[in-house]
Amino acid sequence: PTLTRQVEAALDLADLKSGQTLLELGCGDGKVVLAAAKRGVHVIGYELNPVLALIAWLRTRRHTRNVQIIWGNFWHRKLPPADAVFVFLLPKYMDKLNQKIEADRHKSVKLVTFAFTIPKREPDAVKDGVYLYFYS
């Protein structure tokens, strides 16, 4: 799980304003989704595990105007427009993620990753084990 300190670091690095959109790929129990929604950010969370998707939905149901939980595999869908993307993926998926962000982004986007970096790419900022990348 993403620790509270890293959730705050990720949201600080993303630097989203109220009404902007965060896309979380693999939202788990909804911890990051909930923290972002409390900041007034619109959040779309994808989760493959149906139990975790349900838990995320239950945790965030008070924020239905700002939160959408999608039970599904984000690898098989075109990513919706977003101002930032947050992930906590294993290293073996990071290059594939980089390619997906490049292919699916609609505009400039910030990618915030916890624990693992994008291969052959220097992060634009680092805070508490969280990495920020700009795609423009």
Side-chain angles (χ1 to χ4, degrees):
T2 308
L3 305 173
T4 301
R5 188 170 101 195
Q6 280 74 33
V7 171
E8 294 302 318
L11 295 176
D12 291 347
L13 284 172
D15 191 31
L16 297 176
K17 307 301 179 221
S18 181
Q20 288 188 299
T21 301
L22 174 68
L23 180 61
E24 185 178 8
L25 306 177
C27 69
D29 66 2
K31 184 175 187 172
V32 175
V33 172
L34 184 59
K38 287 180 178 179
R39 290 186 178 199
V41 174
H42 175 73
V43 190
I44 302 168
Y46 279 89
E47 179 52 52
L48 185 59
N49 180 316
V51 174
L52 288 176
L54 177 61
I55 292 169
W57 179 83
L58 289 169
R59 286 186 79 184
T60 61
R61 70 184 183 278
R62 298 175 108 186
H63 301 275
T64 55
R65 281 192 283 164
N66 283 343
V67 173
Q68 180 182 6
I69 302 296
I70 299 171
W71 171 37
N73 188 337
F74 67 84
W75 293 114
H76 298 121
R77 298 182 181 187
K78 185 160 179 64
L79 299 179
D83 300 289
V85 177
F86 174 78
V87 297
F88 182 9
L89 294 177
L90 294 173
K92 67 182 182 178
Y93 299 113
M94 297 306 281
D95 188 50
K96 183 178 178 181
L97 174 67
N98 183 56
Q99 293 171 29
K100 183 155 185 67
I101 296 290
E102 287 285 1
D104 287 3
R105 70 183 173 85
H106 301 270
K107 57 182 178 178
S108 295
V109 68
K110 301 170 193 174
L111 172 64
V112 182
T113 70
F114 174 49
F116 305 112
T117 58
I118 301 290
K120 301 177 188 164
R121 187 168 180 159
E122 288 295 317
D124 293 289
V126 180
K127 182 178 180 181
D128 292 329
V130 180
Y131 303 91
L132 173 67
Y133 299 90
F134 290 110
Y135 290 77
S136 55

